[in-house]
């Protein structure tokens, strides 16, 4: 008991206030006086408060004790490293499925696929003998290949009549060279002087040159659009053409297999309150929609809204007014449900006029890019019913604008324009899917803390698979089909909801969770390790010195 | 009163052939209140609905209904409490109101329960966007499939009924406000621009003592005609006339001038300078554009002109003045009159103060309801509690009804404690002798599953004439998970109103108020406290253990002097030297230095 009291006086280190009353720390295993023992120590110290206190050194530790201490420290660390760390890692790590990042980036950079859109042109030459026709095909094809300035766009001539031809060449002997594009069918009618014989090389060359030139002219717009999509400008394109092409891109809606068409009649006052919209749609819109069916599906709905005040009240609408004319807050033009985008066709009954009509607007209607069309219809106040004859002009305008909104080229007959649309859409989808995959790859690289669920990896794999198939079959309906799936899979993967959930977990919270535990536990562990390492070094040094001494 | 609503109903069926009709019924209530019932009804033929040509039917809603395969939809937005003691029976027999908050039920086209759930989810999510309400929070735990209470109201074929499910969901916490009125008005053919809808103003509507907005979509098949899909939108509001009459720019109530005070002269203390005001008891005068804050802008040109736009239910003795060009039609019962008016001119209506106040013919006597119902929480503490519903039958006939409770899962009900007591009236002693089985005829009970679904309890009860039934049961309150508490957890959790559907003598609806259940709420800094506390405990234990194991213990005098201690001693000595320069012995100093 007296020893305890004395020990307490001697030290103020709180750790030592325990059964080991006389304990204090020893930092280094110093070689010292071996005749001292623990039991002898208290007897040496006298409570006289003697001014001459001898500095004593503790006895040397047994090497077994030192080793045991090292084992203890090491086993603590072994538990931490082998059990603690893996457990922590396992419970806090974020699942990141493996994404084929390199391939995704390759697709995004356009290295994975060199898109080639073959356009089959049937060569119907009834008046020509078969060998002659083949010779002419060979010559024209050579001419076309020679002139080709866009690798992606290839016109391929094929003798005979084929079903999947985008264009058919029809030859009729006539007085002079001439070519006309049929306004209804996808065919190019060629007149050639009746005296021409293909066996004559100069005649054949002239005809082939002419054919090549006409074919290139027929597909000029498509070639321009494709070059714009691929970002490979053609030679001698004027800035106006490039501007028109980018306008086409901004105007057209994103591809969807189904579109909702909403026809709305808005009026400022109480009348008209009925309209023959069903009949008008059947008569003026339906034929066009039927032709578009292979590429898109359409659903049609109509509504009539009275007392709808436009966003702009002025009598003459300036160009700036057009953008705010739609009163989005009050008009029930809510976006449709179920995934398919809506194309709005608004017929506004009112006597407002468009002043300062630019190239974008006719005197009565204007198109809102990627949204739809507004048509101003002046009617007398007493008109209570709008019959289908009045609706004719608005419907035709809507039809034309619908084609533009869908991204159809301007020139050529409708079948030709639609086959062009198929090819443009496939390429567009292919590029869009590739760039989405690229964005996803970059996202996953730049955000290491984002989780990537398995569904995303599956979606990416499916998308890549379909992209390859689409790339191999570009130009046909199969290519469009695969490109469509690839695009939707890529979009689905990119917008996967569960990726965003864990994204934001602030670091302050981590500190608040980890620090209270890791601070007090980690500090003794680390200090103990450091001390042990120091002691180990010292022992090695001492051992070396004694060795050297012995040698001497 | 009863006959008038029946007459209205008859009228409604008569004009079903017409496509749109609207009507406003005004009924002054006792204690200077005014009930205004707006009714808008339009329909579309099924062929138009399926080919998506919409004229009077709102396209936005129709698209949702088609997308979610909904055959029938009922949606209610309610705020406030209907004071049945003073105001009597509810308008529309209670069929056009919901519990506080948002309530909806729908008949969805589904062959299986899973399909029904899927469609219900789509429906609630899309409607939530359309009506700016948190309908998307009506999840599985708030959805029930009523067995007895709710039935399809429209006309359906047998095959259609066999292939559909009725689901009911309620959101008692939702605060109904102006943003719900705007989409409501947008769906009307004349918007809020003409007709009776031009009276609707968010400020007045949501300032009312009670208001309920309802939308009902149901198919109606008249014999020999094509089936139509009918949408009926109704708004019922009870205005406090004195409050509504306050001018817009000066809404603060001010004391009435002495000479304008109406005093009860029968009071013994009545004199020149003391007065018992009876203003609120008398039926005051009011003008339509004054209480609604805006005039009525003509009539909606699409509405059926044969249906009068505005009706008022007051005894014939009272004087009503209307603006020019309107024609008055008096009802046969001598207690109502209707007005047809000019299409383009503003309309207003003035109800004069009664000629002889206090004679009892100021307002149409409110009809006594079939049942009075109130419900409250009993018990104390945060663990257990109980619910008591007091159901009174004031009439002379036995009333049979279905009592429906849709309770949240965290309110665990002990069904074995369900008990009823009956008493001849509320004040006298309760009669315990009547067994519960005499009152409760049938029980349909679907127990709750934690976090999956709530409790559904439907009871078929019968109360004899002039009797009160006390229905009680005990509940246990659950401790929720940390993340399940809302931000305002200490406010309590709303428990949906119970729905009472009477079966005999006639069908009508009644809802109690919703309850506020107080759950045990933790301190929300708890997780960090727990982390820090346990970490500290672990660290203490670990540090002690580790140090004891790893450190070497030697004699106190054998250890090295810690450098801090040496410095401290030096400092101490320096201070001592400075303070006691003269007294300090020189040898002592050297002795310390030797240390």
């Amino acid at each position: 008991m007296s020893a305890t009291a004395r020990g307490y006086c001697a030290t103020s280190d709180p750790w030592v206030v325990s059964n080991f009353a006389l304990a204090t720390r020893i930092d280094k295993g110093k070689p010292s006086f071996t005749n001292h023992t623990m039991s002898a120590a208290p007897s040496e110290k006298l409570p006289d408060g003697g001014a001459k206190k001898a500095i004593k050194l503790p006895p040397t530790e047994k090497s077994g004790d030192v080793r045991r201490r090292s084992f203890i420290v090491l086993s603590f660390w072994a538990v931490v490293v082998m059990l603690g760390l893996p457990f922590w890692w396992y419970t806090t790590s974020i699942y990141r499925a493996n994404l084929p990042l390199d391939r995704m980036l390759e697709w995004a950079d356009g290295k994975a696929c060199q898109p080639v859109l073959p356009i089959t042109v049937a060569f119907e030459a009834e008046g020509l003998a078969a060998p002659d026709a083949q010779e002419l095909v060979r010559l024209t094809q050579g001419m076309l290949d020679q002139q080709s300035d866009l690798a992606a766009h290839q016109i391929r001539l094929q003798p005979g009549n084929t079903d999947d031809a985008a264009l058919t060449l029809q030859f009729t002997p006539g007085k002079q060279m001439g070519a006309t594009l049929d306004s209804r069918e996808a065919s190019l009618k060629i007149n050639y002087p009746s005296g021409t014989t293909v066996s004559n090389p100069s005649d054949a060359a002239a005809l082939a040159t002419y054919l090549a030139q006409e074919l290139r002219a027929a597909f000029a717009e498509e070639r321009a659009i494709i070059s714009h999509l691929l970002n490979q400008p053609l030679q001698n394109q004027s800035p106006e053409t490039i501007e028109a092409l980018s306008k086409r891109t901004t105007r057209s809606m994103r591809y969807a297999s189904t579109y909702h068409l909403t026809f709305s009649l808005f009026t400022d006052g109480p009348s008209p309150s009925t309209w023959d919209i069903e009949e008008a749609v059947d008569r003026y819109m339906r034929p066009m929609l039927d032709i578009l069916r292979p590429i898109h599906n359409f659903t049609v709905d109509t509504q009539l809204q009275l007392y709808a005040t436009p966003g702009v009240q002025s009598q003459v609408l300036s160009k700036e007014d057009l953008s705010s004319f739609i009163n989005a807050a009050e008009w029930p033009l809510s976006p449709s449900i179920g995934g398919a985008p809506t194309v709005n066709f608004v017929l506004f009954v009112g006597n407002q006029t468009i002043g300062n009509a630019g190239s974008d607007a006719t005197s009565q209607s204007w198109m809102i890019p990627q949204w739809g069309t507004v048509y101003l219809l002046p009617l007398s106040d007493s008109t209570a019913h709008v019959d289908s004859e009045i609706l004719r002009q608005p419907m035709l305008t809507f039809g034309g604008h619908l084609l533009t909104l869908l991204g159809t080229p301007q020139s050529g007959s409708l079948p030709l324009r639609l086959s062009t649309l198929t090819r443009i859409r496939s390429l567009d989808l292919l590029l869009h899917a590739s760039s989405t995959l690229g964005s996803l790859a970059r996202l996953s690289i730049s955000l290491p803390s984002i989780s990537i669920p398995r569904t995303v990896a599956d979606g990416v794999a499916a998308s890549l698979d379909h992209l390859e198939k689409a790339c191999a079959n570009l130009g046909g309906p199969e290519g469009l089909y695969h490109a469509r799936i690839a695009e939707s899979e890529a979009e689905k993967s990119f917008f996967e909801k569960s990726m965003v959930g864990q994204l934001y977990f602030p670091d302050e919270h981590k500190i608040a969770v980890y620090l209270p535990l890791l601070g007090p536990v980690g500090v003794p562990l680390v200090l103990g390790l450091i001390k042990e390492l120091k002691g180990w070094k010292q022992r090695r040094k001492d051992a070396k010195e004694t060795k050297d001494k012995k040698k001497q | 009163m009863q006959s008038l609503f029946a007459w209205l109903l008859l009228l409604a069926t008569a004009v079903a052939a017409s496509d749109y009709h609207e009507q406003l019924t005004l009924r002054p209530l006792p204690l200077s209140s005014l009930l205004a019932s707006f009714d808008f009804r339009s329909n579309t033929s099924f062929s138009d609905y399926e080919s998506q040509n919409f004229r009077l039917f709102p396209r936005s809603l129709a698209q949702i209904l088609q997308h979610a395969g909904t055959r029938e939809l009922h949606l209610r937005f309610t705020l406030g409490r209907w004071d049945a003691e003073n105001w009597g029976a509810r308008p529309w027999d209670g069929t056009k109101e919901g519990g506080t908050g948002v309530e909806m039920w729908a008949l969805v086209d589904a062959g299986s329960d899973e399909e029904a759930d899927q469609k219900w989810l789509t429906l609630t999510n899309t409607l939530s966007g359309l009506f700016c309400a948190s309908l998307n929070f009506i999840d599985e735990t708030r959805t029930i499939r009523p067995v007895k209470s709710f039935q399809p109201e429209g006309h359906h074929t047998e095959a259609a009924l066999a292939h559909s499910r009725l689901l009911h969901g309620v959101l008692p916490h939702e605060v109904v406000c102006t943003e719900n009125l705007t989409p409501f008005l947008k769906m009307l053919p004349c918007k809020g621009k003409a007709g009776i809808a031009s009276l609707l103003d968010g400020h007045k509507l949501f300032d009312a003592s009670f208001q309920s907005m309802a939308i009902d979509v149901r198919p109606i098949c008249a014999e020999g005609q094509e089936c139509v899909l009918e949408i009926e939108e109704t708004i019922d509001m009870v205005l406090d006339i004195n409050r509504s009459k306050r001018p817009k720019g000066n809404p603060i109530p001010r004391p009435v001038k002495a000479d304008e005070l109406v005093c009860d002269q029968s009071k013994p203390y009545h004199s020149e300078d003391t007065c018992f005001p009876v203003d609120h008891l008398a039926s005051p005068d009011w003008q339509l554009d004054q209480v609604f804050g805006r005039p009525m802008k003509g009539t909606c040109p699409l509405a059926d002109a044969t249906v009068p736009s505005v009706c008022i239910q007051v005894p014939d003795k009272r004087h009503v003045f209307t603006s020019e060009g309107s024609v008055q039609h008096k009802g046969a019962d001598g207690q109502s009159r209707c007005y047809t008016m000019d299409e383009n001119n503003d309309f207003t209506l003035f109800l004069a103060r009664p000629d002889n106040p206090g004679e009892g013919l100021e307002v149409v006597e409110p009809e006594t309801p079939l049942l009075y119902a109130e419900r409250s929480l009993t018990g104390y503490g945060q663990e257990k509690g109980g619910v008591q519903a007091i159901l009174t039958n004031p009439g002379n006939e036995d009333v049979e009804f279905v009592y429906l409770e849709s309770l949240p899962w965290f309110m665990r009900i002990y069904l074995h404690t369900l008990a009823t007591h009956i008493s001849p009236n509320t004040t006298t002693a309760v009669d315990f002798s009547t067994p519960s089985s005499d009152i409760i005829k049938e029980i349909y009970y679907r127990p709750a599953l934690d976090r999956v679904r709530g409790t559904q309890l439907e009871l078929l009860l019968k109360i004899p004439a002039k009797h009160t039934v006390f229905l009680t049961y005990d509940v246990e309150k659950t401790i929720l998970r940390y993340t399940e508490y809302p931000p305002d957890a200490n406010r309590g959790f709303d428990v949906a109103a119970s729905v009472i559907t009477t079966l005999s003598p006639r069908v009508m609806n009644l809802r109690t108020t919703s309850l506020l259940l107080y759950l045990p709420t933790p301190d929300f800094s708890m997780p960090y406290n727990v982390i820090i506390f346990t970490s500290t405990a672990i660290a203490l234990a670990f540090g002690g253990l580790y140090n004891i194991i790893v450190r070497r213990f030697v004699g106190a005098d054998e250890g090295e002097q810690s450098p801090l201690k040496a410095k401290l001693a030096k400092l101490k000595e320096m201070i001592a030297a400075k303070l006691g320069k003269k007294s300090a012995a020189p040898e002592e100093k050297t002795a310390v230095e030797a240390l």
Side-chain angles (χ1 to χ4, degrees):
Chain A
M1 200 58 223
S2 65
T4 314
R6 260 183 286 142
Y8 192 71
C9 297
T11 176
S12 61
D13 190 341
W15 287 114
V16 194
V17 186
S18 64
N19 294 342
F20 302 91
L22 300 168
T24 183
R25 257 179 311 177
I26 284 203
D27 288 331
K28 293 163 196 166
K30 277 180 186 165
S32 190
F33 318 99
T34 45
N35 56 340
H36 284 260
T37 57
M38 284 282 274
S39 59
S43 65
E44 293 285 320
K45 196 169 179 205
L46 294 167
D48 58 358
K52 296 198 175 72
K53 227 200 248 172
I55 300 168
K56 278 207 221 162
L57 284 173
T60 320
E61 266 193 304
K62 285 183 215 145
S63 62
D65 292 352
V66 174
R67 205 181 305 127
R68 195 189 302 137
R69 185 180 302 123
S70 309
F71 280 139
I72 290 169
V73 171
L74 283 179
S75 55
F76 267 107
W77 274 99
V79 169
V80 167
V81 171
M82 293 169 72
L83 221 80
L85 280 181
F87 188 71
W88 171 77
W89 184 258
Y90 176 73
T91 48
T92 59
S93 65
I94 298 158
Y95 180 77
R96 279 171 74 89
N98 271 329
L99 291 183
L101 294 178
D102 293 340
R103 276 184 68 208
M104 287 160 79
L105 289 172
E106 264 174 31
W107 273 100
D109 299 342
K111 286 176 197 152
C113 169
Q114 290 298 327
V116 175
L117 291 157
I119 300 163
T120 319
V121 175
F123 200 89
E124 239 175 63
E126 281 160 9
L128 292 170
D132 285 357
Q134 269 174 10
E135 175 65 12
L136 194 56
V137 166
R138 197 186 57 79
L139 277 174
T140 318
Q141 187 68 58
M143 208 72 90
L144 282 169
D145 292 348
Q146 201 185 335
Q147 289 175 0
S148 171
D149 49 0
L150 187 69
H153 193 253
Q154 288 188 356
I155 302 171
R156 287 179 192 160
L157 288 175
Q158 209 169 354
N161 197 352
T162 44
D163 285 342
D164 58 342
L167 187 70
T168 312
L169 290 179
Q170 285 172 339
F171 287 86
T172 35
K175 279 179 187 162
Q176 56 181 37
M177 286 285 209
T180 41
L181 265 175
D182 196 304
S183 60
R184 288 173 184 275
E185 307 269 311
S187 67
L188 183 67
K189 291 201 169 68
I190 306 281
N191 282 322
Y192 61 95
S194 46
T196 315
T197 44
V198 180
S199 44
N200 183 348
S202 67
D203 272 6
L207 191 53
T209 317
Y210 183 71
L211 279 178
Q213 180 198 330
E214 284 300 317
L215 280 172
R216 278 174 63 81
F219 289 106
E221 192 181 1
E222 184 179 338
R223 200 165 64 243
I225 292 171
I226 288 171
S227 78
H228 185 257
L229 280 178
L230 289 170
N231 215 0
Q232 298 171 353
L234 295 175
Q235 284 167 353
N236 52 48
Q237 260 182 332
S238 63
E240 289 87 51
T241 330
I242 293 171
E243 198 193 332
L245 287 172
S246 58
K247 230 176 207 172
R248 193 203 77 91
T249 319
T250 47
R251 270 179 190 171
S252 62
M253 308 193 65
R254 277 196 49 207
Y255 179 85
S257 57
T258 305
Y259 288 105
H260 293 303
L261 306 185
T262 299
F263 294 90
S264 319
L265 180 101
F266 284 92
T267 165
D268 211 350
S271 66
S273 61
T274 49
W275 60 333
D276 282 339
I277 184 64
E278 226 178 330
E279 195 191 330
V281 168
D282 281 347
R283 203 186 284 176
Y284 305 116
M285 283 303 266
R286 199 63 71 180
M288 201 181 75
L289 299 184
D290 287 341
I291 295 173
L292 284 165
R293 186 129 309 181
I295 311 175
H296 302 289
N297 284 324
F298 295 97
T299 65
V300 175
D301 55 68
T302 68
Q303 64 173 340
L304 194 142
Q305 297 288 338
L306 307 185
Y307 295 102
T309 336
V312 181
Q313 303 279 359
S314 60
Q315 183 58 40
V316 179
L317 302 171
S318 68
K319 206 171 175 182
E320 289 73 43
D321 291 339
L322 299 185
S323 57
S324 52
F325 186 81
I326 298 293
N327 189 347
E330 282 184 27
W331 293 7
L333 292 167
S334 47
S336 59
I337 45 178
T342 303
V343 188
N344 289 287
F345 296 114
V346 172
L347 191 65
F348 187 80
V349 177
N351 51 6
Q352 283 159 308
T353 50
I354 304 169
N356 164 29
S359 55
D360 284 352
T362 61
S363 59
Q364 284 187 302
S365 68
W366 68 95
M367 186 165 68
I368 299 171
Q370 303 190 6
W371 188 85
T373 295
V374 183
Y375 193 100
L376 296 177
L377 186 67
L379 286 178
S380 67
D381 280 350
S382 56
T383 318
H385 178 77
V386 183
D387 62 25
S388 60
E389 201 42 50
I390 303 176
L391 291 172
R392 184 171 172 270
Q393 192 49 46
M395 283 294 149
L396 294 178
T397 312
F398 291 158
H401 284 182
L402 176 64
L403 286 179
T404 314
L405 286 165
L406 293 178
T408 327
Q410 304 289 328
S411 59
S413 64
L414 201 54
L416 186 63
R417 286 164 75 182
L418 291 182
S419 77
T420 304
L421 181 62
T422 315
R423 288 187 290 275
I424 295 172
R425 279 301 189 189
S426 336
L427 184 65
D428 194 14
L429 285 171
L430 182 90
L431 294 173
H432 195 263
S434 311
S435 81
T436 308
L437 286 180
S439 307
L440 181 60
R442 281 191 295 278
L443 181 80
S444 76
I445 292 168
S446 63
L447 291 175
S449 65
I450 197 169
S451 84
I452 297 170
R454 184 167 292 275
T455 49
V456 171
D458 292 347
V460 167
S463 181
L464 285 172
D465 184 38
H466 282 287
L467 271 181
E468 261 155 32
K469 283 181 188 153
C471 187
N473 298 308
L474 261 185
E478 208 179 329
L480 180 63
Y481 168 77
H482 286 298
R484 209 145 83 185
I485 297 178
E487 203 257 359
S488 67
E489 287 286 345
E491 290 286 302
K492 217 165 73 187
S493 308
F494 187 78
F495 290 104
E496 171 70 41
K497 260 189 260 167
S498 54
M499 293 208 309
V500 201
Q502 272 183 325
L503 185 60
Y504 186 69
F505 190 76
D507 285 342
E508 299 88 66
H509 283 227
K510 283 181 192 159
I511 290 172
V513 171
Y514 289 139
L515 203 64
L517 181 68
L518 294 191
V521 172
V523 168
L525 272 178
V526 171
L527 286 182
L529 187 72
I530 289 171
K531 202 173 285 174
E532 206 51 43
L533 286 176
K534 270 186 182 167
W536 177 69
K537 254 187 189 168
Q538 182 70 37
R539 281 197 299 279
R540 268 189 63 179
K541 212 169 136 191
D542 293 348
K544 213 177 168 187
E545 271 171 18
T546 45
K547 237 184 197 174
D548 289 349
K549 270 180 190 168
K550 267 184 187 173
K551 270 183 188 172
Q552 280 174 0
Chain B
M1 200 27 247
Q2 177 61 41
S3 61
L4 197 103
F5 270 110
W7 177 73
L8 276 179
L9 219 69
L10 198 78
L11 197 84
T13 36
V15 298
S18 166
D19 282 340
Y20 178 65
H21 105 267
E22 56 176 41
Q23 191 167 48
L24 165 66
T25 311
L26 298 159
R27 175 151 64 101
L29 297 170
L31 301 181
S32 69
S33 296
L34 170 68
L35 167 69
S37 295
F38 294 80
D39 181 27
F40 310 91
R41 191 195 300 252
S42 56
N43 49 36
T44 178
S45 70
F46 259 93
S47 58
D48 274 352
Y49 176 69
E50 262 140 36
S51 61
Q52 304 198 320
N53 293 318
F54 302 111
R55 201 175 140 248
L56 299 170
F57 201 94
R59 179 188 75 108
S60 42
L61 184 64
Q63 247 184 356
I64 290 174
L65 296 182
Q66 285 175 346
H67 184 65
T70 311
R71 293 184 201 275
E72 221 183 278
L73 172 75
H74 306 273
L75 190 61
R76 304 279 184 270
F77 297 91
T78 312
L79 201 66
R81 186 179 81 94
W82 177 266
D83 182 4
E85 302 277 340
N86 286 314
W87 301 340
R90 287 150 198 259
W92 310 103
D93 273 351
T95 52
K96 302 273 181 215
E97 64 172 80
T100 309
V102 182
E103 187 175 332
M104 69 178 275
W105 64 100
L107 189 70
V108 294
D109 177 22
S112 67
D113 283 351
E114 289 73 38
E115 196 188 345
D117 284 338
Q118 198 53 47
K119 287 191 169 167
W120 175 253
L121 189 73
T122 316
L123 183 68
T124 50
N125 277 300
T126 46
L127 283 179
S128 133
L130 184 63
F131 286 102
C132 304
S134 322
L135 286 166
N136 51 327
F137 284 98
I138 298 183
D139 51 8
E140 292 163 346
T141 62
R142 296 175 205 268
T143 304
I144 57 166
R145 294 180 164 74
V147 177
K148 292 211 154 278
S149 294
F150 292 93
Q151 300 298 333
E153 288 174 21
H155 304 142
H156 301 277
T157 58
E158 289 290 323
L161 276 181
H163 197 268
S164 44
R165 299 279 189 279
L166 185 82
L167 290 104
H168 175 270
V170 56
L171 208 61
H173 186 36
E174 183 75 5
V175 181
V176 183
C177 202
T178 326
E179 73 266 20
N180 307 117
L181 178 69
T182 313
F184 191 93
L185 288 180
K186 249 167 129 175
M187 299 201 328
L188 299 172
C190 285
K191 312 283 178 290
K193 304 275 172 60
I196 56 171
S198 60
L199 288 172
L200 288 167
D201 175 18
H203 293 100
K204 292 285 177 189
L205 179 60
F206 297 105
D207 194 38
S209 316
F210 167 83
Q211 68 87 9
S212 172
M213 295 196 286
I215 293 176
D216 293 272
V217 182
R218 57 184 163 227
I220 302 286
C221 295
E223 223 164 285
Q225 284 176 342
E226 201 197 344
C227 289
V228 293
L229 192 70
E230 182 194 81
I231 176 167
E232 185 170 11
E233 301 180 58
T234 58
I235 294 182
D236 293 291
M237 55 203 275
V238 178
L239 290 163
D240 180 335
I241 294 174
N242 290 329
R243 191 177 163 89
S244 316
K245 270 162 76 178
R246 281 176 207 150
K248 221 175 196 173
N250 188 12
I252 303 160
R254 287 168 211 286
V256 187
K257 283 175 194 155
D259 53 324
E260 286 171 16
L261 267 179
V262 185
C263 302
D264 185 353
Q265 301 185 0
S266 63
K267 297 283 177 201
Y269 50 77
H270 177 78
S271 71
E272 272 297 297
D273 53 353
T274 48
C275 173
F276 181 81
V278 287
D279 235 6
H280 65 284
L281 295 174
S283 184
D285 58 332
W286 51 265
Q287 199 170 328
L288 195 63
D289 55 350
Q290 195 183 17
V291 288
F292 284 100
R294 44 169 85 176
M296 179 174 154
K297 296 194 187 77
T299 58
C300 176
L302 294 176
D304 185 359
T306 59
V307 180
S309 289
V310 178
C311 289
I312 181 163
Q313 296 177 1
V314 284
D316 274 356
K317 282 187 180 173
R318 291 195 63 176
H319 300 292
V320 178
F321 304 97
T322 56
S323 40
E324 237 177 295
S326 57
V327 184
Q328 177 178 294
H329 313 272
K330 281 206 174 177
D333 56 357
Q335 296 202 317
S336 76
R337 45 196 118 173
C338 293
Y339 297 91
T340 48
M341 62 220 58
D342 197 53
E343 194 172 296
N344 299 316
N345 292 339
D346 283 6
F347 172 82
T348 192
L349 178 148
F350 179 76
L351 179 71
R353 208 179 270 268
D355 293 337
N356 306 306
E359 276 185 11
L361 282 173
E362 292 162 7
V363 294
V364 176
E365 194 60 35
E367 189 198 351
T368 316
L370 276 185
L371 274 179
Y372 291 111
E374 53 186 288
R375 188 181 59 161
S376 52
L377 284 168
T378 57
Y380 50 85
Q382 298 205 324
E383 193 191 352
K384 282 179 182 160
V387 173
Q388 171 176 265
I390 303 172
L391 307 157
T392 308
N393 176 4
N396 298 319
E397 280 174 288
D398 292 3
V399 175
E400 196 178 25
F401 61 95
V402 182
Y403 178 86
L404 166 77
E405 288 267 33
S406 166
L407 302 174
W409 64 266
F410 44 79
M411 188 173 167
R412 289 190 187 129
I413 164 171
Y414 292 124
L415 196 64
H416 73 278
T417 60
L418 182 73
T420 54
H421 311 302
I422 193 159
S423 104
N425 60 53
T426 41
T427 49
T428 55
V430 175
D431 169 22
F432 286 98
S433 58
T434 315
S436 289
S437 58
D438 276 13
I439 301 161
I440 302 178
K441 305 285 177 199
E442 274 177 46
I443 297 180
Y444 178 84
Y445 174 58
R446 196 160 179 257
L449 292 177
D450 278 5
R451 298 178 178 83
V452 176
R453 65 171 195 222
T455 308
Q456 178 185 347
L457 179 65
E458 281 181 84
L459 306 172
L460 182 67
L461 291 105
K462 192 169 188 173
I463 304 185
K466 302 265 181 213
H467 272 75
T468 298
V469 164
F470 297 82
L471 184 76
T472 55
Y473 57 86
D474 290 352
V475 292
E476 190 188 68
K477 302 171 185 178
T478 316
I479 296 177
L480 301 185
R481 287 185 192 144
Y482 176 69
T483 49
E484 283 169 346
Y485 286 96
D488 55 348
N490 286 304
R491 178 186 164 270
F493 292 74
D494 293 85
V495 177
S498 53
V499 184
I500 293 163
T501 315
T502 58
L503 303 175
S504 77
R506 59 197 163 86
V507 178
M508 54 159 279
N509 274 328
L510 191 68
R511 280 173 177 80
T512 63
T513 48
S514 58
L515 296 176
L516 203 54
L517 179 76
Y518 193 76
L519 289 188
T521 314
D523 166 17
F524 288 102
S525 63
M526 176 185 67
Y528 289 115
N529 296 349
V530 169
I531 289 170
I532 288 169
F533 187 78
T534 47
S535 300
T536 312
I538 289 174
L540 269 175
F542 174 81
L545 187 81
Y546 184 79
N547 281 325
I548 285 172
I549 296 176
V550 165
R551 282 181 181 172
R552 187 187 170 197
F553 297 95
V554 293
D557 56 344
E558 288 173 339
E560 271 189 349
Q561 185 88 8
S562 86
L564 195 76
K565 230 166 159 186
K567 265 184 194 159
L568 209 75
K570 224 173 196 175
L571 196 77
K572 218 163 135 188
E573 182 248 325
M574 256 169 73
I575 292 165
K578 282 220 168 140
L579 287 176
K581 232 176 195 173
K582 290 152 202 171
S583 61
E587 68 258 11
E588 225 179 37
K589 198 178 171 186
T590 47
V592 178
E593 269 174 352
L595 254 168

